[in-house]
């Protein structure tokens, strides 16, 4: 038969197969696979880009380069070559004054365009992106502490500025403690006239850059190779504080959701192909009887699959794009900073992915169809297919892993997915053999339906093994996805708990401790006060750092600057000692506690000695323990804590933090009035921005989770419908032999309820394993057990399968047997 005739025959058979449930089920499986893969790809890309944009709105740019002097022309030349947009910011601390008040404030001198990402919101709204010359915009905290309003004139150095707007929220607050002080925004043109910037002044120069992700990453790589010790690079794609971990977890969750959606589609295509191929054996034998060769039969069915895929690809792509448009308004409320336009080039991924899965998974069933002998027309035992050899199975598994790896961009995730799927099918098949026959014998003792159930279990044992494997994996995927998202949300929320301090007080002198404590206690606050002094690491094990550390270790920021040091008789409650023990409060030895990341970066271990230069004096101390510090807790934290007597001879100041509610806003002004020498740092706006970002992450992940769960439940329903179609002829035959329609319906319900219970029990085991792997490897969360799923999943599986059977079951009877 010629190729043209083969294509024509494939087209005719495809049209005629539309009347069969198996072909329609396969087309629906392909349609769901294409739609789900395309939609999750487009949506995931939009959310990742949108969340990065939301993070950039906190930074004010895609990349920020800070320095103690203006950026060099060479670095700007590279930015120009990459077509990056940039703007310059000068930030410093200075005193502001009115006729009645003075206040230490952080001044930002900016130029248009500013900011490059995010939005600077003011009240009243301003028509210009930056203040006009001679005017300034002030934060609400500054206005409150100075007791002034919009329209007031304030003095900065030798210049006066009229406050024309209050800053409601602002990106790009800078870094360091100066970034948390109440801020005033002025035009860079006015800076020289103030004469506050003089030689020797502590000035922060910051250059903001924006561009595409590839441009920013390329520029960051070039800058990192030539950064000076004073320069610091912040990137929205790398190490932005707070947002980095949250965005990394969000991106991993989106990819994990895509992986689970991909596995769901693969499971459905696998089962649909297996069902379709099983009913095509007799037709294959007939085609061979009419003269077709096995190779031509293989090509014929391959062409039919291509036809089916083409139809599913077109419809699935259109449906996914429509769904993306329908969810657009919801996504805009989730990410007010806006979403980028969908990259419709990615819409090809879904159809190509479903095609790859179809060809890889369909290779085995098509090969089995082509091997059916002509004698299958006369002898039913000849219709049994021959299994593939182990090398062929390994090739199929390898190709499936390649498809998944290309889609996810991760070989490890693809390998884990394949291994879990294969292991699940094998273990679930063993579990079905051990659990279902005894359950059938148990029901047989009490009712005639139980005996029929036992007979059906023996008759369908091969299918039950496959069904239990697929259905338990399906339930495990859905439950582990739900558990992981719940734990991820809890972890995000824990980053900024309700009692997170939003006020820091520094430069507290020893004689101010008692009156300050009394003042705070009267206000209903009970913060801890921590001693603090600055020092620099100079030696490690009595050697210079350059003599014992690698070039990479020498680049650690702790060796380039002074560290905030403290001392304590007892371990801080919000730090966890992970190695060693804490010292006795009265120990005379010079002992230190080192933060975990610093110890790992410098290769420090228990018993090592570290030399410090503190207030011009040398001091050696021994590492007694290593602590785990949560830097995002907004509590005073330190890289190094000394034993108390080691620091007795050094001058000391104190630091504390506490939370003020909106009703206590006036307390900060009263605090500075009674203790004018203190420095009060308000971080509430930064916390609000970080909280908003985390809220958006939670909403976005919940949306993706809901869509995936809906797709999973739809797949469960389709699987049940497929199985019930296989029971129609059997139920009709039972009715011919005397069973009533009610009894056959009860038999179906009993079988699938039992199968659902067994699937749920198996899924509980798998969900614990999957959740552990996801939490530990992908989301970097602690491992915990979930005893509740051991009860809920079997009951949920039983309920879902029972309800699905009631919905999907079609009327079966003698008439259907006659019509067949």
């Amino acid at each position: 038969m010629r190729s043209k005739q083969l294509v024509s025959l494939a087209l005719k058979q495809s049209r005629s197969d539309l009347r069969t449930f198996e072909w329609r089920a396969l087309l629906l499986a392909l349609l769901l696979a294409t739609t789900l893969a395309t939609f999750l790809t487009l949506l995931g890309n939009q959310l990742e880009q949108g969340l990065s944009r939301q993070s950039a709105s906190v930074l004010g740019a895609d990349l920020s380069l800070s320095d103690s002097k203006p950026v060099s022309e060479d670095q700007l030349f590279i930015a120009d070559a990459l077509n990056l947009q940039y703007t310059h910011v000068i930030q410093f601390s200075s005193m502001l004054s009115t006729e009645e008040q003075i206040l230490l404030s952080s001044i930002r001198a900016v130029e248009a365009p500013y900011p490059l990402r995010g939005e600077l919101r003011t009240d009243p709204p301003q028509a210009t992106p930056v203040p006009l010359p001679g005017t300034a915009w002030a934060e609400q905290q500054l206005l409150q502490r100075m007791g002034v309003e919009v329209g007031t004139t304030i003095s900065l150095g030798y210049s006066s500025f009229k406050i024309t707007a209050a800053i409601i929220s602002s990106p790009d607050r800078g870094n360091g403690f100066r970034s948390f002080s109440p801020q005033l925004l002025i035009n860079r043109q006015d800076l020289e006239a103030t004469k506050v910037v003089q030689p020797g002044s502590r000035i922060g120069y910051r250059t903001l850059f924006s561009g595409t992700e590839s441009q920013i990453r390329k520029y960051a790589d070039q800058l990192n190779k030539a950064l000076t010790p004073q320069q610091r690079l912040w990137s929205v794609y790398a190490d932005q504080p707070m947002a980095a971990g949250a965005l990394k977890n969000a991106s991993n969750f989106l990819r994990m959701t895509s992986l689970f959606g991909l596995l769901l589609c693969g499971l459905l295509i696998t089962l649909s192909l297996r069902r379709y191929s099983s009913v095509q054996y007799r037709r294959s034998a007939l085609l061979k009887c009419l003269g077709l060769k096995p190779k031509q039969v293989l090509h014929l069915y391959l062409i039919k699959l291509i036809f089916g895929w083409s139809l599913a690809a077109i419809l699935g792509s259109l449906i996914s794009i429509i769904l993306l448009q329908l969810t657009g308004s919801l996504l805009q409320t989730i990410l007010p900073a806006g979403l980028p336009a969908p990259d419709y080039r990615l819409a090809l991924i879904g159809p190509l992915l479903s095609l790859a899965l179809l060809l890889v998974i369909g290779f085995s069933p098509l090969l089995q169809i082509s091997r059916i002998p002509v004698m299958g027309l006369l002898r039913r035992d000849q219709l049994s297919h021959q299994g593939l050899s182990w090398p062929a199975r390994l090739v199929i598994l390898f190709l499936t892993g390649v498809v998944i790896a290309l889609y996810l961009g991760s070989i490890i995730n693809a390998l884990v997915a394949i291994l879990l799927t294969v292991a699940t099918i094998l273990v679930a098949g063993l579990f079905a053999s051990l659990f279902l026959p005894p359950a059938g014998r148990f029901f047989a003792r009490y009712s005639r339906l139980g005996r029929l159930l036992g007979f059906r279990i023996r008759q369908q044992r091969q299918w039950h093994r496959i069904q239990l494997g697929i259905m338990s994996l399906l339930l495990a995927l859905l439950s582990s996805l739900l558990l992981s998202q719940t734990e991820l949300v809890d972890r995000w929320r824990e980053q900024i708990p309700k009692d997170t301090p939003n006020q820091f007080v520094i430069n507290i002198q020893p004689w101010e401790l008692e009156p300050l404590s009394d003042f705070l206690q009267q206000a209903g606050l009970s913060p801890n006060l921590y001693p603090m002094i600055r020092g620099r690491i100079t030696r490690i094990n009595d050697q210079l750092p350059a003599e014992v550390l690698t070039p990479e270790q020498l680049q650690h920021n702790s060796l380039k600057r002074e560290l905030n040091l403290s001392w304590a008789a007892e371990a801080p409650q919000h730090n966890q000692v992970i190695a060693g023990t804490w010292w006795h409060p009265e120990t005379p030895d010079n002992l230190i506690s080192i933060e975990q990341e610093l110890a790992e970066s410098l290769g420090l271990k228990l018993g090592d000695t570290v030399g410090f230069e503190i207030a011009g004096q040398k001091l050696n101390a021994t590492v007694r323990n290593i602590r785990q510090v949560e830097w995002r807790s907004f509590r005073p934290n330190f890289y190094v804590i000394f034993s108390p007597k080691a620091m007795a001879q050094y001058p000391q100041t104190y630091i504390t933090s506490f939370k003020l509610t909106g009703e206590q806003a006036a307390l900060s002004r009263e605090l500075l009035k009674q203790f004018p020498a203190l420095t009060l740092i308000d971080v509430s706006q930064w916390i609000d921005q970080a909280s908003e970002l985390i809220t958006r992450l939670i909403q976005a992940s919940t949306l993706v989770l809901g869509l995936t769960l809906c797709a999973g439940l739809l797949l469960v329903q389709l699987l049940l419908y497929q199985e019930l179609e296989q029971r129609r002829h059997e139920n009709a035959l039972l009715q011919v032999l005397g069973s009533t329609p009610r009894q056959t319906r009860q038999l179906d319900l009993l079988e699938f309820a039992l199968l659902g219970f067994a699937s749920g029990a198996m899924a509980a085991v798998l969900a614990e394993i999957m959740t552990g792997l996801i939490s530990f490897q992908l989301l970097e969360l602690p491992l915990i057990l979930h005893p509740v799923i051991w009860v809920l999943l079997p009951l949920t599986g039983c309920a879902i399968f029972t309800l699905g059977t009631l919905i999907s079951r079609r009327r079966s009877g003698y008439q259907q047997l006659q019509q067949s």
Side-chain angles (χ1 to χ4, degrees), residues 425-447:
I425 300 295
L426 295 177
V427 174
L430 178 61
F431 181 72
S433 300
L434 296 176
F435 176 79
L436 293 179
R441 290 192 294 270
F442 173 79
F443 284 107
R445 297 175 185 174
Y446 300 99
S447 68

Side-chain angles (χ1 to χ4, degrees), residues 628-642:
Q628 187 177 55
V629 176
E630 179 54 68
W631 295 103
R632 293 169 293 194
S633 65
F634 285 91
R635 288 180 170 85
N637 284 307
F638 304 91
Y639 276 117
V640 181
I641 297 179
F642 283 79

Side-chain angles (χ1 to χ4, degrees), residues 92 94-97 107 154-161 184 186 191 193-196:
F92 56 92
S94 184
M95 300 299 296
L96 297 176
S97 62
I107 313 299
I154 60 174
S155 298
L156 172 63
Y158 287 89
S159 299
S160 296
F161 295 87
L184 185 78
I186 66 172
L191 183 58
T194 64
K195 298 183 180 180
V196 294

Side-chain angles (χ1 to χ4, degrees), residues 434-688:
L434 296 176
F435 176 79
L436 293 179
R441 290 192 294 270
F442 173 79
F443 284 107
R445 297 175 185 174
Y446 300 99
S447 68
R448 286 184 300 174
L449 282 179
R451 289 194 291 273
L452 286 175
L453 177 63
F455 175 77
R456 179 171 285 185
I457 289 176
R458 290 193 300 272
Q459 180 193 35
Q460 299 286 341
R461 59 183 180 275
Q462 294 295 334
W463 278 113
H464 281 160
R465 290 175 183 175
I466 299 173
Q467 292 162 5
L468 187 62
I470 292 178
M471 293 177 179
S472 59
L473 182 58
L474 180 58
L475 289 177
L477 288 174
L478 296 177
S479 56
S480 58
L481 185 62
L482 180 61
L483 288 173
S484 299
Q485 198 261 0
T486 302
E487 292 177 4
L488 184 60
V489 168
D490 293 340
R491 177 65 175 268
W492 282 336
R493 285 174 175 159
E494 287 173 1
Q495 290 186 14
I496 306 181
K498 294 181 179 180
D499 60 345
T500 298
N502 57 12
Q503 307 289 326
F504 278 81
V505 181
I506 61 174
N507 296 330
I508 305 171
Q509 300 302 320
W511 58 85
E512 295 177 307
L513 288 179
E514 185 174 349
L516 178 62
S517 296
D518 293 340
F519 175 86
L520 295 176
Q521 288 179 0
Q522 291 176 5
L525 304 173
S526 301
N528 295 319
L529 289 95
Y530 301 89
M532 186 175 69
I533 193 171
R534 296 183 67 81
R536 184 183 296 271
I537 297 176
T538 57
R539 303 184 76 83
I540 297 177
N541 290 326
D542 297 322
Q543 292 181 284
L544 294 174
E547 297 174 354
V548 295
L549 300 181
T550 65
E552 291 77 13
Q553 290 175 317
L554 290 173
Q555 296 302 313
H556 195 271
N557 195 41
S558 63
L559 300 177
K560 300 178 181 180
R561 63 181 179 87
E562 289 185 328
L563 301 177
N564 290 323
L565 311 175
S566 185
W567 53 97
E570 298 179 355
Q573 294 182 355
H574 55 282
N575 288 184
Q576 179 183 359
V577 177
I578 60 175
T581 58
W582 203 260
W583 46 74
H584 189 275
E586 300 299 328
T587 180
D589 300 326
N590 293 343
L591 304 176
I592 56 174
S593 174
I594 294 285
E595 186 268 338
Q596 179 186 11
E597 189 271 337
L598 177 61
E600 293 174 351
S601 299
L602 302 185
L604 297 174
K605 58 184 182 300
L606 299 179
D608 287 348
T609 60
V610 183
F612 295 86
E613 181 178 334
I614 304 173
Q617 301 181 32
K618 306 293 184 181
L619 175 66
N620 288 331
T622 303
V623 178
R624 178 62 178 272
N625 62 71
I626 298 175
R627 290 170 294 115
Q628 187 177 55
V629 176
E630 179 54 68
W631 295 103
R632 293 169 293 194
S633 65
F634 285 91
R635 288 180 170 85
N637 284 307
F638 304 91
Y639 276 117
V640 181
I641 297 179
F642 283 79
S643 55
K645 291 191 176 181
M647 308 296 288
Q649 73 275 23
Y650 293 99
Q652 54 191 259
T653 60
Y654 287 80
I655 180 175
T656 188
S657 65
F658 50 85
K659 178 179 178 62
L660 289 184
T661 62
E663 295 76 13
Q664 297 173 310
L667 184 64
S668 59
R669 183 178 176 184
E670 184 64 26
L671 175 65
L672 292 178
K673 184 177 181 180
Q674 293 193 27
F675 302 92
L678 301 184
T679 301
L680 180 64
I681 301 171
D682 190 334
V683 298
S684 57
Q685 186 177 123
W686 203 97
I687 291 177
D688 291 342

